[in-house]
Amino acid sequence: MKQSEDIQKAVECMRKGGVILYPTDTVWGIGCDATNAEAVARVYKIKHRDDSKALICLVDSDARLQRYVRNIPNVAWDLIDAVDKPTTIILDNAVNLAHNLIADDGSIGMRITNEPFSHELCFRFQKPVVSTSANISGNPAAQNFCDIDPELLSAVDYVCESRRNEHKPHKPSSIIKLSEKGEVTVIRK
């Protein structure tokens, strides 16, 4: 299957409220429409994860990020330009997202992806895509498709074909929290 066809099927699935398994700029991810609270609730259920633990989202561009976070501090743009590996930034004042995706303090973890598959997926979907590691909560993240628990494969609505044969090490993203005032806290290096 061509990558473009794979992406189209994943987009159609998410538009219908479905949950997907897909390759990202880091590890394999479980994804859905970040504006659909029912889909987000399914992701928590599939992962056996407490919904008080936040999930992150991928977007394809600066412009898309600005639609879902109000008042992004200037230091965030400097950080996005400076990093050379996938970095998730937790930002205050999340808007226009599913209520059960936003942390109690109003923040959201967002990452602009440049990896070809996940970037094109986000671009074609035209909204943020939930991106949480493809694993049952407490188990190791699936670095490659072959690492994904069969329970997850049967629990989602669509499993992407792209990059299934890849066998190389992948790491979760770095996570940095930025307050509205520009205070920086490193959560995960």
Side-chain angles (χ1 to χ4, degrees):
M1 176 185 303
K2 289 183 180 175
Q3 181 172 296
S4 59
E5 192 180 337
D6 197 17
I7 287 170
Q8 186 56 40
K9 287 183 176 191
V11 165
E12 287 171 12
C13 178
M14 290 190 294
R15 284 191 179 138
K16 294 176 185 171
V19 176
I20 65 169
L21 277 172
Y22 68 109
T24 75
D25 54 343
T26 59
V27 296
W28 269 72
I30 301 173
C32 70
D33 177 350
T35 67
N36 181 327
E38 289 178 19
V40 170
R42 276 196 59 215
V43 171
Y44 280 114
K45 185 177 179 183
I46 288 168
K47 279 187 68 90
H48 304 283
R49 185 173 177 154
D50 184 343
D51 64 7
S52 67
K53 293 185 177 182
L55 301 175
I56 66 166
C57 300
L58 294 183
V59 292
D60 64 316
S61 66
D62 296 358
R64 186 103 45 226
L65 176 63
Q66 292 180 64
R67 293 180 194 166
Y68 298 94
V69 178
R70 190 178 289 135
N71 304 323
I72 298 171
N74 287 335
V75 69
W77 302 119
D78 296 339
L79 185 62
I80 289 166
D81 290 341
V83 296
D84 59 356
K85 68 178 191 171
T87 302
T88 301
I89 303 175
I90 301 171
L91 296 160
D92 292 335
N93 301 311
V95 293
N96 306 319
L97 295 167
H99 66 88
N100 51 347
L101 192 58
I102 300 170
D104 290 341
D105 65 1
S107 67
I108 187 71
M110 301 285 274
R111 184 167 76 247
I112 299 172
T113 179
N114 294 313
E115 179 273 325
F117 185 89
S118 55
H119 181 271
E120 188 69 13
L121 178 72
C122 293
F123 176 75
R124 295 282 173 216
F125 190 57
Q126 298 284 300
K127 295 185 212 176
V129 175
V130 166
S131 184
T132 182
S133 57
N135 62 311
I136 304 294
S137 217
N139 292 345
Q143 293 185 36
N144 295 288
F145 177 77
C146 61
D147 302 322
I148 298 173
D149 187 308
E151 179 182 336
L152 294 181
L153 294 170
S154 62
V156 300
D157 304 300
Y158 183 72
V159 180
C160 291
E161 299 277 338
S162 300
R163 292 180 42 203
R164 283 194 186 186
N165 295 325
E166 198 172 84
H167 294 283
K168 60 183 188 179
H170 294 279
K171 293 180 181 177
S173 70
S174 298
I175 301 177
I176 297 174
K177 183 167 178 48
L178 292 181
S179 73
E180 195 173 7
K181 296 175 183 172
E183 297 159 348
V184 178
T185 306
V186 176
I187 307 291
R188 181 172 67 202
K189 285 188 175 185

